[in-house]
Protein backbone atom coordinates (compact mmCIF):
# COMPACT_ATOMS: atom_id res chain seq x y z
CA UNK A 1 0.00 0.00 0.00
CA UNK A 2 3.04 2.22 -0.07
CA UNK A 3 2.04 5.43 -1.82
CA UNK A 4 -1.70 4.76 -1.51
CA UNK A 5 -2.74 6.69 1.60
CA UNK A 6 -6.45 5.93 1.10
CA UNK A 7 -5.96 2.16 1.05
CA UNK A 8 -3.53 2.32 3.96
CA UNK A 9 -5.89 4.48 6.05
CA UNK A 10 -8.77 2.10 5.27
CA UNK A 11 -6.65 -0.89 6.26
CA UNK A 12 -5.71 0.69 9.61
CA UNK A 13 -9.36 1.54 10.18
CA UNK A 14 -10.34 -2.11 9.61
CA UNK A 15 -7.60 -3.16 12.01
CA UNK A 16 -8.92 -0.74 14.62
CA UNK A 17 -5.79 1.40 14.88
CA UNK A 18 -6.86 5.07 14.79
CA UNK A 19 -3.32 6.36 15.37
CA UNK A 20 -1.86 4.65 12.32
CA UNK A 21 -4.94 5.62 10.32
CA UNK A 22 -4.39 9.25 11.29
CA UNK A 23 -0.76 9.09 10.18
CA UNK A 24 -1.82 7.78 6.77
CA UNK A 25 -4.47 10.49 6.42
CA UNK A 26 -1.86 13.10 7.31
CA UNK A 27 0.34 11.80 4.47
CA UNK A 28 -2.39 12.52 1.90
CA UNK A 29 -1.14 15.99 1.07
CA UNK A 30 -4.77 17.13 1.00
CA UNK A 31 -6.53 19.43 3.48
CA UNK A 32 -9.64 17.40 4.30
CA UNK A 33 -7.95 14.07 5.18
CA UNK A 34 -5.21 15.95 7.03
CA UNK A 35 -7.85 17.74 9.12
CA UNK A 36 -9.44 14.37 9.81
CA UNK A 37 -6.03 13.11 10.95
CA UNK A 38 -5.73 16.04 13.33
CA UNK A 39 -9.14 15.26 14.80
CA UNK A 40 -8.22 11.60 15.32
CA UNK A 41 -4.90 12.46 16.92
CA UNK A 42 -6.53 15.04 19.18
CA UNK A 43 -9.08 12.47 20.30
CA UNK A 44 -6.27 10.06 21.11
CA UNK A 45 -4.31 12.68 23.01
CA UNK A 46 -1.36 12.29 20.62
CA UNK A 47 -0.26 15.90 20.92
CA UNK A 48 3.27 15.57 19.47
CA UNK A 49 1.88 13.99 16.30
CA UNK A 50 -0.98 16.52 16.24
CA UNK A 51 1.55 19.34 16.36
CA UNK A 52 3.27 17.95 13.26
CA UNK A 53 -0.09 17.63 11.49
CA UNK A 54 -0.92 21.25 12.35
CA UNK A 55 2.34 22.26 10.66
CA UNK A 56 1.39 20.25 7.60
CA UNK A 57 -1.97 21.98 7.50
CA UNK A 58 -0.28 25.38 7.56
CA UNK A 59 1.99 24.22 4.73
CA UNK A 60 -1.16 23.26 2.79
CA UNK A 61 -2.45 26.80 3.20
CA UNK A 62 -5.08 26.09 5.85
CA UNK A 63 -5.49 29.14 8.06
CA UNK A 64 -8.21 27.95 10.45
CA UNK A 65 -6.64 25.02 12.23
CA UNK A 66 -8.39 23.45 15.23
CA UNK A 67 -6.46 24.07 18.45
CA UNK A 68 -6.92 20.68 20.02
CA UNK A 69 -9.14 19.12 22.64
CA UNK A 70 -11.85 21.26 24.18
CA UNK A 71 -11.58 22.07 27.88
CA UNK A 72 -14.23 19.45 28.70
CA UNK A 73 -12.12 16.79 26.98
CA UNK A 74 -8.95 17.92 28.74
CA UNK A 75 -10.81 17.91 32.07
CA UNK A 76 -12.19 14.40 31.61
CA UNK A 77 -10.08 11.91 33.63
CA UNK A 78 -9.82 9.58 30.62
CA UNK A 79 -9.63 12.34 28.01
CA UNK A 80 -13.07 11.49 26.65
CA UNK A 81 -14.89 13.98 24.46
CA UNK A 82 -18.44 14.98 25.32
CA UNK A 83 -19.68 12.66 22.55
CA UNK A 84 -17.60 9.78 23.90
CA UNK A 85 -19.04 10.34 27.38
CA UNK A 86 -22.51 10.27 25.84
CA UNK A 87 -21.66 7.00 24.06
CA UNK A 88 -20.20 5.52 27.26
CA UNK A 89 -23.37 6.38 29.17
CA UNK A 90 -25.45 4.51 26.60
CA UNK A 91 -23.02 1.57 26.61
CA UNK A 92 -23.27 1.49 30.42
CA UNK A 93 -27.05 1.30 30.08
CA UNK A 94 -26.64 -1.81 27.95
CA UNK A 95 -27.54 -0.23 24.60
CA UNK A 96 -26.38 -1.94 21.41
CA UNK A 97 -24.44 -0.12 18.74
CA UNK A 98 -27.55 0.03 16.55
CA UNK A 99 -29.64 1.44 19.42
CA UNK A 100 -27.01 4.08 20.15
CA UNK A 101 -26.81 5.01 16.47
CA UNK A 102 -30.58 5.42 16.26
CA UNK A 103 -30.78 7.43 19.49
CA UNK A 104 -28.00 9.83 18.48
CA UNK A 105 -28.83 9.92 14.76
CA UNK A 106 -25.41 8.59 13.81
CA UNK A 107 -24.31 5.79 11.54
CA UNK A 108 -23.53 2.43 13.11
CA UNK A 109 -19.98 2.78 11.80
CA UNK A 110 -19.55 6.15 13.52
CA UNK A 111 -20.78 4.67 16.80
CA UNK A 112 -18.33 1.78 16.34
CA UNK A 113 -15.50 4.30 16.00
CA UNK A 114 -16.62 6.16 19.12
CA UNK A 115 -16.90 2.93 21.12
CA UNK A 116 -13.42 1.85 19.95
CA UNK A 117 -11.98 5.23 20.98
CA UNK A 118 -13.66 4.98 24.39
CA UNK A 119 -12.30 1.47 24.95
CA UNK A 120 -8.82 2.58 23.94
CA UNK A 121 -8.85 5.67 26.14
CA UNK A 122 -10.09 3.66 29.10
CA UNK A 123 -7.53 0.92 28.47
CA UNK A 124 -10.14 -1.83 28.36
CA UNK A 125 -11.07 -4.37 25.73
CA UNK A 126 -14.81 -4.86 26.24
CA UNK A 127 -17.90 -2.73 26.53
CA UNK A 128 -18.66 -4.37 29.88
CA UNK A 129 -15.26 -3.31 31.26
CA UNK A 130 -15.84 0.23 29.96
CA UNK A 131 -19.26 0.37 31.60
CA UNK A 132 -17.77 -0.78 34.90
CA UNK A 133 -15.27 2.07 35.01
CA UNK A 134 -16.05 4.60 37.71
CA UNK A 135 -16.31 7.58 35.31
CA UNK A 136 -20.09 7.74 35.39
CA UNK A 137 -22.58 8.20 38.16
CA UNK A 138 -24.53 5.21 39.46
CA UNK A 139 -27.64 6.35 37.55
CA UNK A 140 -25.80 5.95 34.26
CA UNK A 141 -24.87 2.35 35.03
CA UNK A 142 -28.24 1.20 36.29
CA UNK A 143 -30.79 2.81 33.97
CA UNK A 144 -31.96 0.53 31.17
Amino acid sequence: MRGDWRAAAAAWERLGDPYERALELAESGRPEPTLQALQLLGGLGAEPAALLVRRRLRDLGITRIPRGPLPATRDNPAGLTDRQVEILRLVARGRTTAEIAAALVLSVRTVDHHVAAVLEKLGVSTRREAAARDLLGPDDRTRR
Side-chain angles (χ1 to χ4, degrees), residues 82-91 93 95-108 110-112 114-115:
D82 287 342
R83 177 63 90 180
Q84 291 167 344
V85 169
E86 188 174 24
I87 297 283
L88 179 57
R89 282 192 172 111
L90 293 169
V91 165
R93 292 178 189 155
R95 302 297 192 264
T96 66
T97 300
E99 290 170 337
I100 295 169
L104 300 179
V105 191
L106 298 171
S107 74
V108 170
T110 297
V111 172
D112 278 335
H114 284 303
V115 170

Side-chain angles (χ1 to χ4, degrees), residues 32 57 61 77 125:
E32 190 171 316
L57 286 164
S125 57

Side-chain angles (χ1 to χ4, degrees), residues 25-93:
L25 291 168
E27 291 293 322
S28 69
R30 297 183 176 175
E32 190 171 316
T34 307
L35 283 165
Q36 189 177 5
L38 181 60
Q39 182 180 12
L40 286 169
L41 293 168
L44 294 170
E47 283 307 310
L51 178 62
L52 293 173
V53 171
R54 284 187 186 90
R55 287 184 192 148
R56 282 199 180 139
L57 286 164
R58 279 192 289 280
D59 292 343
L60 290 170
I62 303 299
T63 56
R64 297 188 61 159
I65 300 171
R67 294 182 185 214
L70 296 172
T73 304
R74 283 192 298 266
D75 293 343
N76 183 281
L80 299 178
T81 66
D82 287 342
R83 177 63 90 180
Q84 291 167 344
V85 169
E86 188 174 24
I87 297 283
L88 179 57
R89 282 192 172 111
L90 293 169
V91 165
R93 292 178 189 155

